[in-house]
Amino acid sequence: MATHEVVNQVPPLVGHDTSADPALLEGIEREGAGWALPEIREVGRLAGTPEAMDWGRLAERVPPRLHTHDRYGRRVDEVEYVPAYHQLMDTAVTHGIHAAPWADDRPGAHVARAAKFYAWNVDAGHGCPISMTYAVVPALRANPELAARFEPLLTNRAYDFGLRDPATKRGLIAGMSMTEKQGGSDVRANTTTATPVAGEPGSYRIVGHKWFTSAPMSDMFLTLAQAPGGLSCFLLPRVLPGGEANPIRFQRLKDKLGNKSNASSEIEYDNAIGWLVGEEGKGVKTIVEMVNMTRLDCVIGSASGMRSALVQAAHHARHRAAFGKLLIDQPLMRNVLADLAVESEAATTAMMRLAGANDRAIHGDAGEAALRRLALAATKYYVCKRGPVLANEALECLGGNGYVEDFDLARIYRELPLLSIWEGSGNVAALDALRAIGREPESLDAFFAEAELAVGTDQRYDDALTSLKKELTDFGDIELRARRLVEQIAVLFQAGLLIRYAPPAVADAFCASRLARDWGSAFGTLPAGLDLAPILERTEPGF
């Protein structure tokens, strides 16, 4: 029918390389992972294939199903996933996006992993168990015996799904279970108990309820419970040595706004066996090693989602015409897209710097560890809050199509709020940054040392840095001002990096808007006089 002729619609964005992001590629080289570029580019090209993109869509549209009992009434506590989910997991593990860097001593291994995590952006849900598997290793090392036993399987590039004795598997996936319904972020209010098993040193019987346990089909979990010596950290396998199921009971799966492909559950420990990790009473200190790594992944995931949303919007604008011109050639749309691009590039550049700091801290650099302590908390707070706002504006660039689930932006938009909540919502992250300043002053020194490297190039930056230093001389009502201070730290961290590393047009636009405040309250309000063409060039998807 002539009325069904399709005109002025945008071709699908497929066959592109998601790693073809100038800010990402420049950061990879700068942070010491240039040797990994071939595999990073392989992951990026795979993520842009129609097949991989369909895996992501299908895994979300057919969410996991909980089976508490089998057809005969026996308790099984299993979650069923569609094959697409397993294809996503297998690809991520095969490419070492899980815990593989912990078995690689090369400088830049953790940077390379961050870049692959960023590029493999076809589905956010399966990224949760991939992230937790990465993060469990440094915490598990608080028990050298358990680390020696399980770390080779956690780091192996083999995805081996199914409930079996961990010792019989080719590779393992790990999770984390901290929060309870009465406490949330206040984990010291946890009521789950851990009772030592007589005659079995290091073994405890765990009884209690956990409010959020994501990826419950993982092979093992770090969890917190009240032992005789106080709140402690434990490793709980789903299957005990010898093949008997550990009594971890699934109550229900959460019906979430997004992250549909990832099963998040409420669970009961019914005298489950757990092994002590670290010392009794030092549970928070032990598990925080895992939390810090997953917080970095929140930043990576937010930056990746922002870039994906930006590229979708720019692709649409390059192919859609209105009022006689392509959208990309219309001044106001150029302002919107350039503003989104500046935000995205700032997030990616900060993420890569943090990935580099993380890599060097793991290799023993105390200065980089101090920088990571404060800059990560601040960046986690700010970038993860900017993600949903950017995705909303990118969605609007597509008009009604952006609001339809057939297009990927709706899914990206629903995913991004989680990263601001996961591993400490806004107030938790902001207060943690203040805690770093108060208890670990070397972290603030490291931040200012980093910030000083950009001084003398842009007066707007210099003035903003001076203003922050002045704010930090007054500790009155500091908790009330926590968000304000932490936002300033995060924005200055981004600005300094852009001044040093980004094209001048990007740094100029960022400083003019985010520091000099010549900016409105919505994207697309950059001031006149900026050079937008070089900024927009960096939004090409890369075919």
Side-chain angles (χ1 to χ4, degrees):
M1 295 176 62
T3 56
H4 285 185
E5 182 181 359
V6 177
V7 296
N8 198 30
Q9 288 287 350
V10 176
L13 178 55
V14 292
H16 60 298
D17 178 357
T18 62
S19 69
D21 173 359
L24 176 72
L25 296 175
E26 292 158 11
I28 291 167
E29 293 284 0
R30 190 168 59 243
E31 301 298 339
W35 53 267
L37 271 172
E39 187 177 17
I40 295 168
R41 300 308 296 266
E42 178 187 338
V43 170
R45 287 189 293 270
L46 180 58
T49 62
E51 182 180 32
M53 295 173 77
D54 282 344
W55 291 344
R57 295 186 188 108
L58 185 59
E60 198 225 19
R61 290 181 180 178
V62 187
R65 293 181 60 196
L66 172 62
H67 301 286
T68 57
H69 298 76
D70 68 11
R71 56 184 170 174
Y72 302 108
R74 299 185 185 94
R75 190 92 198 196
V76 292
D77 295 295
E78 292 186 355
V79 177
E80 179 186 3
Y81 300 88
V82 292
Y85 174 87
H86 297 299
Q87 289 166 317
L88 293 165
M89 288 290 292
D90 184 66
T91 302
V93 171
T94 301
H95 286 88
I97 306 176
H98 65 318
W102 297 107
D104 188 343
D105 289 333
R106 287 177 292 181
H110 294 267
V111 175
R113 181 261 171 192
K116 286 184 283 186
F117 193 69
Y118 179 97
W120 184 238
N121 59 8
V122 292
D123 168 69
H126 83 288
C128 178
I130 293 298
S131 175
M132 291 190 295
T133 305
Y134 172 69
V136 76
V137 172
L140 191 60
R141 288 176 176 176
N143 185 321
E145 181 182 345
L146 291 176
R149 184 172 162 191
F150 294 120
E151 192 172 321
L153 293 169
L154 289 164
T155 59
N156 194 30
R157 294 190 179 203
Y159 176 61
D160 191 356
F161 183 78
L163 293 180
R164 300 193 302 281
D165 180 346
T168 68
K169 302 187 72 173
R170 294 176 297 120
L172 302 177
I173 298 297
M176 174 170 55
S177 191
M178 291 175 61
T179 62
E180 299 182 4
K181 53 182 175 282
Q182 78 283 351
S185 297
D186 184 10
V187 294
R188 295 191 184 280
N190 284 4
T191 60
T192 296
T193 60
T195 303
V197 177
E200 297 182 26
S203 292
Y204 292 70
R205 292 202 175 275
I206 312 296
V207 176
H209 177 102
K210 293 295 178 180
W211 189 238
F212 266 101
T213 298
S214 284
M217 291 300 288
S218 298
D219 296 293
M220 52 186 53
F221 301 89
L222 283 188
T223 195
L224 294 176
Q226 301 286 357
L231 190 64
S232 306
C233 182
F234 298 89
L235 181 70
L236 277 74
R238 280 294 317 275
V239 178
L240 296 168
E244 181 185 354
N246 208 4
I248 302 173
R249 310 304 186 197
F250 300 170
Q251 302 305 306
R252 62 171 174 167
L253 299 185
K254 302 287 193 180
D255 186 7
K256 298 170 292 185
L257 168 67
N259 210 244
K260 299 285 190 178
S261 65
N262 176 41
S264 295
S265 62
E266 293 174 36
I267 65 172
E268 296 277 0
Y269 296 133
D270 183 12
N271 278 298
I273 294 297
W275 301 310
L276 183 65
V277 180
E279 301 176 36
E280 277 197 11
K282 299 290 182 65
V284 173
K285 181 180 179 181
T286 302
I287 209 167
V288 79
E289 293 293 329
M290 188 174 186
V291 172
N292 281 334
M293 296 298 166
T294 48
R295 280 185 175 175
L296 175 58
D297 279 1
C298 288
V299 175
I300 298 170
S302 292
S304 176
M306 291 161 78
R307 174 68 183 183
S308 297
L310 166 67
V311 169
Q312 290 281 348
H315 174 75
H316 178 87
R318 288 189 173 94
H319 292 87
R320 178 83 164 179
F323 310 111
K325 290 192 296 186
L326 289 172
L327 293 177
I328 193 73
D329 295 326
Q330 308 217 19
L332 189 52
M333 181 60 81
R334 290 175 69 80
N335 194 317
V336 171
L337 291 172
D339 210 353
L340 296 177
V342 167
E343 191 77 27
S344 172
E345 181 146 350
T348 300
T349 304
M351 176 272 287
M352 289 305 296
R353 178 65 184 93
L354 289 170
N358 185 55
D359 193 280
R360 289 182 281 276
I362 289 167
H363 285 90
D365 189 322
E368 290 290 272
L371 176 66
R372 181 187 63 179
R373 175 67 183 92
L374 176 56
L376 175 56
T379 304
K380 196 278 179 191
Y381 165 80
Y382 186 70
V383 166
C384 295
K385 285 197 171 298
R386 298 299 294 160
V389 182
L390 183 146
N392 176 67
E393 192 66 56
L395 184 152
E396 193 172 321
C397 291
L398 275 65
N401 283 353
Y403 201 67
V404 175
E405 291 287 353
D406 291 342
F407 293 80
D408 289 330
L409 267 171
R411 178 158 54 107
I412 294 170
Y413 176 67
R414 286 188 287 103
E415 291 290 354
L416 283 167
L418 171 63
L419 297 169
S420 188
I421 297 169
W422 191 27
E423 308 305 18
S425 54
N427 285 354
V428 172
L431 292 172
D432 188 47
L434 291 191
R435 193 176 301 112
I437 293 170
R439 297 181 183 177
E440 303 170 55
E442 66 274 14
S443 66
L444 185 60
D445 294 338
F447 169 77
F448 281 133
E450 180 82 8
E452 292 290 342
L453 296 174
V455 167
T457 301
D458 190 300
Q459 190 61 49
R460 297 164 297 193
Y461 175 81
D462 297 353
D463 292 344
L465 183 58
T466 300
S467 176
L468 174 62
K469 289 179 177 178
K470 183 178 179 181
E471 286 243 22
L472 286 170
T473 62
D474 178 11
F475 286 87
D477 294 328
I478 193 166
E479 190 169 317
L480 182 69
R481 295 183 292 122
R483 287 187 174 220
R484 172 187 173 91
L485 285 168
V486 172
E487 179 176 319
Q488 286 178 274
I489 290 169
V491 172
L492 275 164
F493 184 58
Q494 291 180 327
L497 293 170
L498 292 178
I499 289 169
R500 292 160 61 196
Y501 303 127
V506 175
D508 183 35
F510 189 91
C511 291
S513 52
R514 279 71 170 172
L515 297 183
R517 297 296 179 183
D518 192 356
W519 198 32
S521 57
F523 283 109
T525 54
L526 292 172
L530 298 174
D531 187 4
L532 303 187
I535 301 174
L536 293 172
E537 286 174 7
R538 291 167 73 85
T539 65
E540 292 280 358
F543 288 98

